[in-house]
Amino acid sequence: MPRDPVCGMIVDKDKAIKRKIGDREYYFCSETCARTYEAPEQELRSMKRRVTLALLGAVSVAALRVLAMLGLVVAFMTLEFAGVSVWELAFFVISAPIVWIAGWSIHYGAYKALKTRNINMDVLISTGTLAGWFYGTISTFFPTLAPGGHGYFEIAIGILAFVLLGKFIEETIRRRSAAAIRQLLELQPTIARVLKDGNEVEAPIDDVQVGDILIVKPGEKIPTDGKVISGYSSVDEKILTGESIPVEKSVGSEVIGATINKNGLLKIEATKVGTNTALMQIVSLVEEAQASSAPVQKLADRVVSYFVPIVFTAAVVAFTYWFFTTNFSTAFLVLLAILLIACPCALGIATPAAILAGVGKGAEYGILLRGGEYVEKARKLHTIVFDKTGTLTKGEPMVTDIIAYGGYKKEDVLQAAASAEKGSEHPLAEAIVKTVGNSNIPDAEAFEAIPGHGVKAKYEDKQILLGNRKLMKDNNVSIETTEKSLQELEEQGKTAMILAINGKAAGIIAAMDTPKENAATAIKRLKSMGLEVAMLTGDNERTAKTIATQLGIDTVIANVLPWEKVDAIKKLQAEGKVVAMVGDGVNDAPALAQSDVGIAIGSGTDIAKETGGIVLIKDDLRDVALGIELSQATMKKIKQNLFWAFIYNTISIPIAAANLLNPVIAAAAMAMSSLFVVSNSALLKRLKLKT
Ligand SMILES: [Mg+2]
């Protein structure tokens, strides 16, 4: 049964809504899901329309003001229609669609927040803009009740324009989570070769049942999870495990769908299909993690939740005072004035302007910040968890040790091994060839690969064997002299190969996936920042420990299956820790989505980059610390901006309470706070990160 890639629902293939995107058919539960999938930008486009409307309104009222100042519309200004000033009516007409159409999402957001007994930014802005608009409307139609009030239309428009612009900026920076799921789904093969009544038939993957016998030719993707029932081959499982050395598979071995069969024909029995496969399990883990990550309460909202009750109290107290000392209309207008002035224009852009500056700064250093929420979370970071293969290490083996026996020199051992392996595509062979340099390797004759054991070749009239103990035993080579070194190397998690020349052990070559150049420096730096560093890997304990010791990592979580990584993160979070995860592979995607700050390595898979909140473009691990520092610097800007956003308006509240507020003071407070917020954000450009 196919799965709706938007909502994750299992849908009936015949009844579902179909869309063909690329060479793949997708099934959706509803038109809405299909539309969301096809055009993730749709919401952004509608937001853009609303921002444009508000900005156009702001520009037109400003233009009218300028015309008035230049004395160009004096005749128009004095025109009256049924006792209502046409001039003020113009402002009313311009402001109405902005407040009610462009600003609708904010009023609705405020309603939803209040319904759940929350106070957020929307509540303050909705109250402020509505207060300003009603004040202006009363002033337009009943000028005697609220004289000179139409300046408040412009302030309401200004607030909405700024707030919508801020929301639009944030939305354009934010990641689109659907892309990760989509790319994961695209890893799944579309067709399978099914054996039916002795005939090979190509069938769509959705038709494969548990128990079906599938044929997988060399170079093909394994269609679904299964068990080998005949054949022998090595399978590249890098896509799911990150491990570059192919895994040998023989009868009885389990294979995972979407991994690549390298060199032999495999006949497998499907054991898991559809949503039960390992790949689909990862898909649902990513979905779950993305859906369950509770949105952090933004700092702006936290500030507002303290500020609003104070404002409302002040408004009620002032209203009561003026009601008893003068009359209702004065008291009511004071109330509206307080609500209006308490809502700063700059509030809407305080956070987005700082984040935008942070994103720009990050781009200079090759650090991609994909949303404000990560910035806010990075400041409380406690633990940073690294994936091993491909993240801390290069992801491919390198020759680490060469030992020579029987009078041979190390160079001879390496040379003989390289020539025997020259034609092979196996990562271990490539590591040996790379160490020697391709141009210095003579061609071997009679090359023969013995799957799972090693290679046999002839080189300068010598019989060469390179491989494991089994290969040596099968060819009657005595390896007693090598055993101690072999064990030592294996103890360190290295892959050791024995080289025999003319039937005698001549040396050992050991290879291992080694740490990246700056990994140790990067870890040291993170530790000095007071962070706990841990390593999370599917690899065995020995290999994991060797790498961890080299890098100075104390906590190692080894033997973790791809779909279990997310549990390790959840466990740390359950201890109350704010966790960052650094990873590169498909197997890291659920953990990246679950962690508070997902950091993806730029050289990693697109899926990791799609689920990560911070992407390090340069593949330099030292950038992890820079990314965190950048987030912290950006957070500091957000805090400062919020201060500047509120300060002028806060000072103006007593003026409003004293019934002395006029539109000029209100506009000046709004302008000052906006100016300070924008220029303070621009200062982030001068930040220098310690590289
Ligand atoms: Mg990896």
Side-chain angles (χ1 to χ4, degrees), residues 196-216:
K196 269 198 181 129
D197 312 320
N199 297 321
E200 245 179 73
V201 211
E202 279 194 7
I205 189 72
D206 291 332
D207 293 350
V208 174
Q209 304 288 324
V210 170
D212 280 356
I213 307 300
L214 312 173
I215 308 283
V216 192

Side-chain angles (χ1 to χ4, degrees), residues 238 240-243 387-393 395 536 565 582-588:
K238 192 171 198 289
L240 281 179
T241 62
E243 198 50 64
D387 159 56
K388 182 182 78 75
T389 313
T391 301
L392 286 170
T393 66
L536 186 60
K565 284 195 170 185
V582 190
D584 71 313
V586 169
N587 53 338
D588 299 320

Side-chain angles (χ1 to χ4, degrees), residues 60-386:
S60 31
V61 292
L64 281 177
R65 271 276 154 227
V66 172
L67 289 179
M69 272 197 303
L70 296 174
L72 294 175
V73 282
V74 181
F76 182 61
M77 282 174 82
T78 50
L79 211 64
E80 274 194 12
F81 176 78
V84 174
S85 155
V86 173
W87 171 250
E88 298 195 7
L89 205 59
F91 282 85
F92 172 78
V93 169
I94 295 170
S95 66
I98 294 166
V99 170
W100 294 109
I101 298 171
W104 183 251
S105 61
I106 292 167
H107 305 315
Y108 186 65
Y111 164 74
K112 274 202 301 197
L114 287 175
K115 222 174 120 185
T116 53
R117 293 163 189 273
N118 276 316
I119 291 171
N120 62 10
M121 212 173 86
D122 286 347
V123 174
L124 184 59
I125 289 161
S126 183
T127 324
T129 51
L130 290 179
W133 190 78
F134 281 117
Y135 206 120
T137 306
I138 296 169
S139 164
T140 303
F141 295 99
F142 311 98
T144 45
L145 263 181
H150 77 250
Y152 294 118
F153 278 141
E154 288 143 273
I155 292 165
I157 293 172
I159 293 172
L160 281 175
F162 263 43
V163 169
L164 288 169
L165 182 66
K167 287 197 179 218
F168 180 68
I169 291 171
E170 269 193 290
E171 199 55 40
T172 47
I173 298 170
R174 247 184 61 192
R175 74 218 166 98
R176 295 201 308 270
S177 57
I181 304 290
R182 182 168 171 169
Q183 281 166 349
L184 272 170
L185 289 173
E186 275 164 13
L187 290 179
Q188 195 190 30
T190 42
I191 51 160
R193 231 182 277 281
V194 187
L195 202 63
K196 269 198 181 129
D197 312 320
N199 297 321
E200 245 179 73
V201 211
E202 279 194 7
I205 189 72
D206 291 332
D207 293 350
V208 174
Q209 304 288 324
V210 170
D212 280 356
I213 307 300
L214 312 173
I215 308 283
V216 192
K217 292 183 177 170
E220 284 182 349
K221 268 188 186 176
I222 293 172
T224 191
D225 295 7
K227 212 167 74 187
V228 177
I229 54 166
S230 87
Y232 186 91
S233 182
S234 56
V235 172
D236 179 353
E237 296 188 340
K238 192 171 198 289
I239 190 72
L240 281 179
T241 62
E243 198 50 64
S244 61
I245 299 178
V247 186
E248 307 294 333
K249 301 285 181 186
S250 55
V251 175
S253 306
E254 286 187 6
V255 288
I256 312 172
T259 57
I260 299 161
N261 179 19
K262 295 284 276 191
N263 41 30
L265 185 85
L266 287 178
K267 211 185 256 185
I268 65 164
E269 183 189 329
T271 51
K272 281 173 188 162
V273 294
T275 52
N276 297 322
T277 63
L279 182 67
M280 286 304 135
Q281 241 176 306
I282 291 181
V283 170
S284 58
L285 282 173
V286 171
E287 278 173 345
E288 250 170 56
Q290 283 180 340
S292 69
S293 64
V296 269
Q297 194 189 22
K298 290 182 181 168
L299 185 62
D301 283 337
R302 268 206 304 282
V303 174
V304 165
S305 69
Y306 290 111
F307 184 69
V308 168
I310 298 171
V311 172
F312 283 172
T313 313
V316 170
V317 170
F319 175 84
T320 317
Y321 172 79
W322 288 103
F323 179 72
F324 287 111
T325 51
T326 57
N327 52 40
F328 174 79
S329 71
T330 309
F332 183 67
L333 291 179
V334 166
L335 178 94
L336 284 181
I338 292 175
L339 294 179
L340 170 74
I341 194 64
C343 169
C345 231
L347 176 60
I349 53 159
T351 308
I355 290 169
L356 195 63
V359 167
K361 194 73 213 169
E364 276 175 37
Y365 289 86
I367 298 164
L368 201 63
L369 291 183
R370 306 193 64 195
E373 59 261 50
Y374 308 107
V375 168
E376 300 205 9
K377 278 179 184 167
R379 116 201 119 109
K380 281 189 184 161
L381 212 55
H382 180 279
T383 306
I384 183 152
V385 181
F386 282 91

Side-chain angles (χ1 to χ4, degrees), residues 675-689:
L675 191 71
F676 270 80
V677 163
V678 172
S679 46
N680 184 49
S681 303
L683 284 180
L684 198 60
K685 273 211 172 68
R686 303 219 309 242
L687 174 78
K688 285 226 158 40
L689 296 172

Side-chain angles (χ1 to χ4, degrees), residues 410-434:
K410 281 186 182 180
E411 295 82 71
D412 303 331
V413 172
L414 194 60
Q415 195 78 26
S419 90
E421 292 275 35
K422 196 177 176 184
S424 171
E425 278 178 4
H426 196 281
L428 286 173
E430 282 171 0
I432 294 172
V433 171
K434 218 192 250 167

